[in-house]
Amino acid sequence: MPGFELMISGNQSLCTKFTFVAFSSLAELQLVLFLMFLTIYLFTVGGNLLIICLIWVTSSLHTPMYFFLVNLSFLEMCYITSVVPQMLVHLLMETKTISVGGCAAQMYVFTILGLTECCLLAAMAYDRFVAICYPLHYTLRMGRPVCMKLAAASWITGVVVESAQTTWIFTLPFCGKGEIQHFFCDIMPVVKMACVDTSRNEIVLFAVSVLFIMSPCLLILCSYARILVTILRIPSAAGRRKAFSTCSSHILVVSLFYGTALFTYLQPKTAHTPDTDKATALMYTVVTPALNPVIYTLRNKEVKEAFQRVTHRNHLRQLA
């Protein structure tokens, strides 16, 4: 049968390849989907690169908030690149296969980046908390060493936790035709391919999700609860608007990211269906990374002003 190979081990047939069948029913639309996802991918990578370059060349943006934004933009480029290029290739191929080793590599990268983003968004919320609630101590509490430690802790947490989790998942035996009702190697669609009882694995996966997704989420909620109280105590309406405007972009990004993450990873296995898995996966792998550059450029006054200054300087150089 195309798309998988079988390795006989006793009386059990183990898969050495998986086949993605997420878009198999949309054969006539695959070229359209290819062009659409390619456009979104190029826009996302270009938008995040633009943010990184703007912050790099604009000294006024060399602050803790934009340090974390550079990390987030870099992470988003890697995040979408871990999924979309392979999906684009598969949209042009009749047989959409991936080896078990390749599937494991994709899951390592994808899950590490996902958990790192959870922690990084919590660090960004803490930055806003200190900036608004303790403005006089901001430079002391959010100095460069502190920012570096928070970013490093985010990456280390992602690498350690998700490396262990993904390694454990791929100790399971995978049997049968190897057809994954998805377009990349996400956790639950792969776990469903196991030919043994995975109830213990599901409990552990659920516990890890609760601990390492909800913990940063609770930190974000606590930070913004304190921020809200502080903003409401500001006597002038203009002051309240200014304080809230520094958080609005981050709130939107957090809502998009955690909305889909909580819906996806805090459901029991029985609640997952191929259609809901694909829809939510498209949200957090393609749509959310594409919206982040838009949110941070259109809703951020400092980034917009930096972009205008850079384009104005380039225009003057061309005239000269």
Side-chain angles (χ1 to χ4, degrees):
M1 184 166 218
F4 72 95
E5 294 175 359
L6 295 178
M7 179 175 62
I8 306 301
S9 178
N11 294 325
Q12 206 165 42
S13 299
L14 302 181
C15 294
T16 59
K17 287 187 179 180
F18 294 132
T19 302
F20 298 116
V21 295
F23 300 123
S24 58
S25 61
L26 302 172
E28 68 282 359
L29 295 176
Q30 292 199 16
L31 182 58
V32 175
L33 291 173
F34 171 84
L35 293 173
M36 181 179 71
F37 290 133
L38 176 62
T39 302
I40 294 173
Y41 176 70
L42 294 175
F43 173 80
T44 303
V45 172
N48 282 296
L49 274 175
L50 176 63
I51 289 174
I52 292 171
C53 292
L54 273 177
I55 293 171
W56 182 270
V57 301
T58 308
S59 58
S60 62
L61 299 182
H62 294 175
T63 63
M65 182 173 76
Y66 293 105
F67 168 79
F68 290 120
L69 181 53
V70 166
N71 275 267
L72 181 65
S73 295
F74 173 75
L75 190 148
E76 292 286 22
M77 286 193 299
C78 297
Y79 193 67
I80 195 170
T81 300
S82 70
V83 174
V84 173
Q86 182 198 59
M87 180 176 65
L88 293 173
V89 171
H90 283 164
L91 284 169
L92 298 178
M93 297 173 64
E94 185 176 347
T95 304
K96 311 174 194 312
T97 60
I98 187 172
S99 66
V100 172
C103 187
Q106 185 180 57
M107 190 181 292
Y108 274 116
V109 174
F110 171 78
T111 55
I112 286 171
L113 293 171
L115 182 54
T116 301
E117 182 163 352
C118 287
C119 299
L120 193 61
L121 289 172
M124 294 174 78
Y126 176 72
D127 169 70
R128 293 298 84 208
F129 161 72
V130 176
I132 293 172
C133 298
Y134 301 97
L136 298 179
H137 300 93
Y138 181 65
T139 54
L140 179 64
R141 291 196 180 194
M142 293 303 297
R144 185 173 180 81
V146 175
C147 294
M148 295 291 287
K149 288 176 184 176
L150 287 172
S154 299
W155 283 95
I156 290 169
T157 301
V159 170
V160 172
V161 173
E162 293 302 338
S163 293
Q165 178 175 262
T166 302
T167 300
W168 192 33
I169 289 172
F170 280 88
T171 61
L172 296 170
F174 301 106
C175 309
K177 296 179 179 180
E179 292 184 347
I180 298 179
Q181 293 286 338
H182 214 25
F183 57 89
F184 76 104
C185 292
D186 205 356
I187 293 173
M188 290 313 300
V190 171
V191 170
K192 287 179 181 179
M193 301 303 301
C195 50
V196 294
D197 179 21
T198 59
S199 55
R200 290 184 180 179
N201 299 73
E202 291 169 45
I203 292 170
V204 173
L205 290 172
F206 185 79
V208 168
S209 298
V210 170
L211 179 61
F212 291 101
I213 293 178
M214 287 305 298
S215 295
C217 185
L218 288 174
L219 288 172
I220 292 169
L221 291 174
C222 291
S223 296
Y224 276 108
R226 288 290 306 276
I227 288 170
L228 181 61
V229 171
T230 302
I231 289 176
L232 291 176
R233 289 176 179 170
I234 298 174
S236 68
R240 289 194 294 270
R241 282 195 300 271
K242 183 179 178 181
F244 181 75
S245 67
T246 65
C247 306
S248 58
S249 298
H250 183 253
I251 292 171
L252 279 173
V253 170
V254 167
S255 300
L256 284 168
F257 182 82
Y258 272 100
T260 52
L262 295 177
F263 181 80
T264 302
Y265 294 109
L266 295 186
Q267 288 187 102
K269 181 181 176 182
T270 53
H272 287 261
T273 65
D275 289 338
T276 58
D277 284 347
K278 284 182 283 188
T280 54
L282 282 171
M283 278 296 297
Y284 61 74
T285 59
V286 180
V287 178
T288 300
L291 289 177
N292 285 356
V294 177
I295 291 169
Y296 275 106
T297 52
L298 295 182
R299 296 188 60 86
N300 190 299
K301 183 180 177 182
E302 291 176 311
V303 173
K304 284 193 292 186
E305 289 176 349
F307 179 72
Q308 290 167 358
R309 285 197 299 269
V310 170
T311 53
H312 181 64
R313 283 202 299 266
N314 290 336
H315 180 66
L316 291 178
R317 286 172 186 168
Q318 290 173 358
L319 293 176

